[in-house]
Amino acid sequence: MTAILRILARRIALLVPLLLGIVLFVFLVMRFSDIDPASAFYQGANPTQEQLHQFREDNGLLDPLPVRYVHFVGDLVGGDMGISVLTRSPVVDQITTALPLTMQLTFLGLGVAVLLSLPLGVLAAIYRDRLPDQIIRVVSLTGVAAPGFWLALLMIQYLAVDLGWFPTGGYVNPADSFTGWLKTMTLPALALSLPVAAQMTRIVRTAVVEELDKDYVRTAVGSGLPPVVVVGRNVLRNALINPLTVLGLRVGYLLGGAVVIETIFSLPGMGKLMIDAVKNGDPAVVQGVVITTAVGFVVVNLVIDILYLLVNPRLRGTS
């Protein structure tokens, strides 16, 4: 237990420089981009050079980069991500409105990916090189090769337009109608999760096959234990350690893919907020969305690391 706490404390300590590095990267990219906050603020008008200069001076845009970075980090720590130059509202308020939908989509997609990949991967491993394994292998390879946006378009055409089973887009708050929410989120979650499910199926299959070939499994089966008990009690617990760590990396794909999927299905989440900010030249919103997404990815991976430490029998047994 002491080893687990020590490793956990070390990984949490690494978050501080990692987050500062992420913030620095976003800060520099936005400062050297073609987006001018002063011009964006006066978008649609014809400001004079004096007005542009005054805006830059009032907002610290003329300060040296190190000073601006320190102020930027200080504002972030205080929960201030700046003001949208288009809506004149705090960026935090816009992100607070959009983030819950993106989190719903991401974790719904993650759940679908786990529910599909776990049984398919185990089934393929148990029937390795036989018909079920061959079928699952072909399906998973197809899923890996199929991009999420292409699946989204196919689902809209066949399941929404042709069959009318689901809406083509839009969002319904679950507080208003859970059934409506489920219908609006089903296709986006499937389009987002199927490529991840296909990848995870292959990873789970490989891990379970390696575990099935170990001596303790043959000994347990030879001693008369039912194979179902051996697989469920021992094989899965040991085989799923590595797929669990890989799953944390796939969360990054889900968060990034949500940007495209939300745009296709007209979902008012972080993706739509990001696309609108880029099109309209709103730098504060762009950097706020990017930083929030990056921080979310880091936090989710920390949670995956904690789960890995808890399920790893070698670390659990360390005193």
Side-chain angles (χ1 to χ4, degrees):
M1 190 65 182
T2 304
I4 295 179
L5 294 177
R6 186 167 59 249
I7 296 173
L8 183 58
R10 189 185 310 127
R11 295 187 180 181
I12 293 177
L14 290 174
L15 284 183
V16 177
L18 178 60
L19 293 176
L20 287 176
I22 292 172
V23 172
L24 176 61
F25 176 77
V26 175
F27 173 81
L28 292 177
V29 168
M30 294 305 302
R31 294 311 173 271
F32 289 105
S33 69
D34 294 332
I35 300 177
D36 180 16
S39 300
F41 180 80
Y42 289 105
Q43 192 173 32
N46 293 314
T48 63
Q49 291 300 318
E50 290 76 11
Q51 288 176 312
L52 294 175
H53 180 80
Q54 187 63 44
F55 178 88
R56 296 186 181 106
E57 185 176 357
D58 293 341
N59 290 273
L61 300 178
L62 301 180
D63 295 335
L65 275 180
V67 175
R68 293 165 62 185
Y69 176 68
V70 172
H71 290 163
F72 182 62
V73 173
D75 291 339
L76 285 179
V77 173
D80 182 8
M81 290 186 173
I83 302 296
S84 169
V85 296
L86 297 177
T87 64
R88 308 296 194 268
S89 62
V91 175
V92 172
D93 292 346
Q94 298 186 43
I95 291 178
T96 302
T97 302
L99 183 60
L101 189 148
T102 299
M103 298 304 294
Q104 291 173 30
L105 179 59
T106 300
F107 285 103
L108 190 59
L110 185 64
V112 172
V114 171
L115 291 176
L116 289 176
S117 62
L118 183 59
L120 290 177
V122 173
L123 185 65
I126 293 175
Y127 291 96
R128 77 176 100 170
D129 298 328
R130 286 182 277 178
L131 183 60
D133 182 28
Q134 300 294 339
I135 294 175
I136 294 174
R137 186 179 304 176
V138 171
V139 172
S140 62
L141 284 174
T142 304
V144 170
F149 72 88
W150 180 74
L151 292 174
L153 295 175
L154 286 182
M155 290 178 183
I156 291 175
Q157 179 61 48
Y158 293 107
L159 299 180
V161 176
D162 293 345
L163 297 177
W165 292 350
F166 301 95
T168 57
Y171 176 72
V172 176
N173 194 304
D176 298 330
S177 172
F178 180 79
T179 303
W181 172 81
L182 194 60
K183 286 184 177 181
T184 56
M185 296 296 287
T186 297
L187 293 187
L190 286 175
L192 186 64
S193 64
L194 287 181
V196 176
Q199 296 169 7
M200 291 303 301
T201 297
R202 295 176 58 81
I203 294 171
V204 171
R205 178 197 179 277
T206 301
V208 175
V209 165
E210 292 177 354
E211 202 68 25
L212 288 173
D213 288 338
K214 292 184 177 179
D215 292 336
Y216 81 89
V217 176
R218 289 191 289 266
T219 301
V221 174
S223 64
L225 285 175
V228 175
V229 175
V230 176
V231 172
R233 182 184 299 174
N234 302 107
V235 173
L236 282 182
R237 185 169 55 187
N238 296 327
L240 295 183
I241 294 176
N242 289 332
L244 181 62
T245 60
V246 176
L247 186 63
L249 300 176
R250 296 298 181 268
V251 174
Y253 169 85
L254 293 172
L255 287 171
V259 174
V260 178
I261 298 301
E262 287 175 0
T263 304
I264 294 175
F265 287 96
S266 301
L267 297 175
M270 296 283 280
K272 187 175 184 301
L273 184 63
M274 173 79 159
I275 297 298
D276 291 344
V278 171
K279 289 192 301 184
N280 297 321
D282 199 339
V285 175
V286 172
Q287 67 187 13
V289 171
V290 173
I291 290 175
T292 303
T293 303
V295 171
F297 175 68
V298 171
V299 171
V300 169
N301 274 274
L302 176 63
V303 173
I304 295 295
D305 286 343
I306 294 173
L307 293 176
Y308 175 78
L309 295 175
L310 294 176
V311 301
N312 193 327
R314 288 171 295 182
L315 292 177
R316 273 206 322 269
T318 304
S319 57

